[in-house]
Amino acid sequence: MKTVIVGGVAGGASAAARLRRLDENAEIVIFERSGYISYANCGLPYYIGGIITDKEELTLQSPQSFKSRFNIDVRVNHEVVKINPDIKTVTVKNLKNGECFDESYDKLILSPGAKAAVPPLDGVDSGKIFTLRTVEDTFKIKNYLNFEKPQTAVVIGAGFIGLEAAENLAETGIKVTLIEFADHVLAPFDYDMACQLHGLIKRRGIDLLLNTAVTAFMEENEKISVFTDKGRKICADIVIMSVGVTPDTAIAKDAGLKLGVKGSIIVNERMETSCKDIYAVGDAVEVEHYITGKKALVSLAGPANKQGRIAADNICNIKSEYKGSQGSSVLKLFEMTAASTGINETTAKALGLDCESVVLSPASHASYYPGGKIMTMKVVFDKQTDSILGAQIVGYDGVDKRIDVIAAAIRGKIKASALSELELAYAPPYSSAKDPVNMAGFMIENILTGKVKPFSYNDLNSVQSDENAFLLDARTPSEYAGGCAEGFVNIPVDEIRKRISEIPQNKKIYVMCQSGLRSYIACRILTQNGFDCYNFAGGYRFYEMIESEKTACEFTLPCGADGK
């Protein structure tokens, strides 16, 4: 049997390797239009920043290594320009000499990936504007940095690649302006959780412009001017365009394959397309979101690798199914780490789910062991089903460990409150006896069983204007003096019992502390004394972080004002 694979990288290369491991006699041909069959997409920004110094490290496999280890015929710089499903051939163009030829197949796997989105704006074809999607893109940017020595840069789009590009450019000493159309960076995160990243980005010298759209570009005075819908003009030496990707499915469409979300290829759970003997994997395919059950695009290496393996299994008559993507991801941003899995609270509410969230700020390991660092965790759950909908974590050490535990719990259909039951490895340098994941489970259990009623930052305005509300700050007087939310009266948690007469019995009591623990204890005291009490999610630390970012001023330096 002969299998032709269109495209390498994660999906195509993993499918090819799996096919060979299952069938030593299969004929396998890969056509890849770039010069690289398997490379580390996620490492590309770090080559630009000089963290990865050897460009050979970006290449995971070469045509030669695929041939010697797997006996697979790999032809780079070959583009499949047409699929002929009726006669089971593909038309291939050799990009080195322009010659075209037809290649037959018994089974066909499409792994064309996605291409960088480039909006049709005036001036967007400037040689100073780059995308960052392929190895070739990376080398172009690196060469530009080496020879042109840019001092200023604009990065458009604050998703994963945009943030990594901004970080790596800034680390080389370039003054960076980061422009994002939405009101916060990283779409998988809620605004409140992204605020901590906003502060970090600004502290590291990057000008962050949110709620801002780019409208045009113009080359002038040997620079590239970026115009925005706010009437601003930012001048730079280089622009990195990172506004997302679109499935590269033109040949699939021309061949009559059924397409779905944003032109992606529709596949079933076996990765079969609508056309017999044609499979598709990776960034070009439509998948089912594991949490919502809705059709989605998830452009991540992990899912692409799994899909390639599943397609190969089914070609070899091994029943194998892809059961959806939940979008687990992690990002290094300077000294911090941001990770998420599942859906955020904004998405859950937009879908009409009866959801709630807990916010906590645990240390990365036991507080008495030196070096522990605070992380902020938000776990979203369905109040009706006690299911985990998603989680977001921002912090330093141990973020990836906790997001992976929650991601595995989601896949294993563990109840949200049952996170408290997980027996996780503990030693003081690594965790606490009650791991942060366990703590999230305890908090969820308390809410579901009615031991505590939460209120969040989004509720605060209505609470502060409610005449039937009494606002209580349970921190120490010194903490309270250092800053407090408007309208909150200070009664430290350790004084509540003896000062309980100061708290009105006929009002709803809204309690805040620094992190949410002392306010929870205060709520338990008050609830058992007949008060209707609510605990603020995340505490004053979380509130202050959001407030400081909301009031932060955005500015743009005029051309030349930075002295560069």
Side-chain angles (χ1 to χ4, degrees):
M1 184 174 64
K2 179 179 180 181
T3 299
V4 170
I5 301 174
V6 181
V9 198
S14 65
R18 177 67 170 173
L19 277 171
R20 176 56 72 223
R21 291 194 297 270
L22 294 175
D23 186 350
E24 179 62 21
N25 297 313
E27 183 180 357
I28 306 168
V29 181
I30 304 178
F31 293 111
E32 167 59 47
R33 65 183 164 201
S34 76
Y36 303 88
I37 183 59
S38 180
Y39 56 87
N41 291 77
C42 300
L44 301 182
Y46 300 103
Y47 179 72
I48 290 172
I51 304 300
I52 298 172
T53 57
D54 184 357
K55 65 181 181 181
E56 299 300 324
E57 293 294 327
L58 297 174
T59 305
L60 304 178
Q61 293 281 357
S62 66
Q64 294 75 25
S65 66
F66 252 87
K67 182 65 177 177
S68 60
R69 176 164 295 181
F70 298 110
N71 190 28
I72 292 172
D73 180 5
V74 177
R75 305 181 209 178
V76 295
N77 301 122
H78 281 69
E79 181 178 10
V80 173
V81 295
K82 187 179 180 182
I83 304 168
N84 311 297
D86 293 341
I87 56 175
K88 300 185 79 168
T89 68
V90 291
T91 302
V92 186
K93 183 177 182 180
N94 184 329
L95 299 180
K96 291 288 189 180
N97 58 26
E99 293 180 356
C100 291
F101 60 91
D102 286 344
E103 187 84 18
S104 65
Y105 66 83
D106 296 307
K107 304 287 184 180
L108 178 66
I109 300 176
L110 302 180
S111 180
K115 54 188 176 183
V118 179
L121 301 175
D122 288 345
V124 77
D125 56 349
S126 167
K128 297 180 183 295
I129 300 175
F130 299 84
T131 58
L132 180 53
R133 179 68 183 171
T134 66
V135 172
E136 286 87 349
D137 292 340
T138 307
F139 292 162
K140 287 179 184 177
I141 295 171
K142 187 67 172 178
N143 288 337
Y144 190 90
L145 298 181
N146 290 340
F147 291 103
E148 300 297 330
K149 309 293 183 185
Q151 300 297 302
T152 55
V154 170
V155 177
I156 303 170
F160 290 97
I161 295 298
L163 288 179
E164 290 171 346
E167 172 196 9
N168 280 277
L169 290 171
E171 293 281 51
T172 66
I174 295 174
K175 177 61 180 175
V176 178
T177 299
L178 177 61
I179 301 175
E180 170 56 45
F181 180 74
D183 65 354
H184 67 283
V185 303
L186 289 181
F189 284 67
D190 288 310
Y191 173 83
D192 52 11
M193 290 296 292
C195 282
Q196 194 169 354
L197 299 175
H198 298 168
L200 171 67
I201 290 165
K202 294 171 186 177
R203 288 195 303 274
R204 296 306 294 259
I206 295 174
D207 291 336
L208 177 62
L209 306 181
L210 300 170
N211 295 301
T212 301
V214 172
T215 57
F217 304 94
M218 180 183 294
E219 287 193 31
E220 49 187 0
N221 301 322
E222 298 185 349
K223 290 183 177 288
I224 181 78
S225 292
V226 182
F227 298 88
T228 77
D229 61 345
K230 301 296 191 297
R232 294 171 172 169
K233 181 175 79 169
I234 306 109
C235 295
D237 300 311
I238 184 174
V239 171
I240 306 295
M241 183 78 71
S242 182
V243 296
V245 296
T246 57
D248 195 355
T249 56
I251 59 170
K253 180 180 179 180
D254 290 344
L257 275 63
K258 291 183 179 179
L259 304 183
V261 177
K262 295 184 179 179
S264 57
I265 303 169
I266 293 176
V267 294
N268 62 19
E269 66 277 6
R270 297 181 297 279
M271 308 313 298
E272 294 170 322
T273 70
S274 58
C275 187
K276 182 177 172 56
D277 294 326
I278 300 180
Y279 298 73
V281 301
D283 294 353
V285 305
E286 176 186 271
V287 298
E288 182 177 288
H289 197 285
Y290 189 75
I291 304 296
T292 68
K294 296 185 178 297
K295 301 302 182 182
L297 287 175
V298 178
S299 299
L300 293 170
N305 273 286
K306 295 178 182 68
Q307 292 161 11
R309 179 186 178 95
I310 288 167
D313 283 353
N314 284 289
I315 287 173
C316 294
N317 296 316
I318 298 174
K319 184 179 180 181
S320 186
E321 295 182 353
Y322 188 69
K323 298 179 181 178
S325 297
Q326 65 194 68
S328 301
S329 58
V330 64
L331 169 78
K332 172 195 170 296
L333 186 61
F334 297 106
E335 68 272 22
M336 296 191 77
T337 301
S340 68
T341 188
I343 61 174
N344 59 30
E345 187 175 21
T346 305
T347 300
K349 289 183 175 178
L351 291 171
L353 298 177
D354 186 12
C355 68
E356 187 61 78
S357 64
V358 293
V359 178
L360 58 158
S361 301
S364 56
H365 60 242
S367 57
Y368 60 83
Y369 188 90
K373 295 182 179 180
I374 295 295
M375 67 179 73
T376 304
M377 295 178 60
K378 183 175 186 177
V379 181
V380 186
F381 61 98
D382 189 306
K383 290 191 291 185
Q384 298 300 315
T385 63
D386 190 14
S387 58
I388 309 166
L389 299 176
Q392 303 151 58
I393 311 178
V394 178
Y396 301 88
D397 299 335
V399 169
D400 54 338
K401 169 183 175 179
R402 274 70 188 209
I403 206 70
D404 283 345
V405 170
I406 297 173
I410 290 174
R411 187 62 61 157
K413 299 187 185 302
I414 294 173
K415 295 295 185 182
S417 59
L419 292 174
S420 62
E421 301 172 11
L422 296 180
E423 186 174 330
L424 304 174
Y426 160 62
Y430 301 104
S431 184
S432 301
K434 295 178 181 178
D435 188 86
V437 175
N438 297 140
M439 292 302 301
F442 293 139
M443 294 169 68
I444 292 167
E445 181 186 17
N446 285 337
I447 291 172
L448 292 176
T449 56
K451 294 183 180 68
V452 67
K453 292 185 284 190
F455 75 107
S456 70
Y457 180 85
N458 293 329
D459 302 319
L460 203 51
N461 284 338
S462 61
V463 166
Q464 289 170 322
S465 60
D466 186 356
E467 294 181 356
N468 294 315
F470 181 80
L471 313 183
L472 173 60
D473 190 317
R475 296 177 298 158
T476 64
S478 61
E479 288 175 309
Y480 181 78
C484 64
E486 182 181 348
F488 279 75
V489 175
N490 182 221
I491 303 178
V493 64
D494 295 336
E495 300 178 15
I496 281 180
R497 289 183 180 90
K498 63 183 177 182
R499 296 175 60 182
I500 203 165
S501 61
E502 299 176 31
I503 303 171
Q505 189 91 36
N506 62 340
K507 292 189 175 184
K508 293 181 177 181
I509 313 302
Y510 294 89
V511 190
M512 181 184 291
C513 72
Q514 190 67 16
S515 67
L517 176 58
R518 284 173 288 174
S519 54
Y520 163 64
I521 295 170
C523 280
R524 289 305 301 151
I525 294 171
L526 293 170
T527 298
Q528 293 177 83
N529 278 277
F531 291 87
D532 187 10
C533 203
Y534 298 79
N535 186 25
F536 183 74
Y540 182 77
R541 175 184 173 273
F542 194 57
Y543 163 83
E544 185 181 38
M545 179 184 70
I546 301 169
E547 280 292 298
S548 64
E549 283 309 306
K550 281 184 66 175
T551 57
C553 295
E554 297 175 352
F555 67 93
T556 302
L557 292 173
C559 243
D562 56 1
K564 301 295 179 66

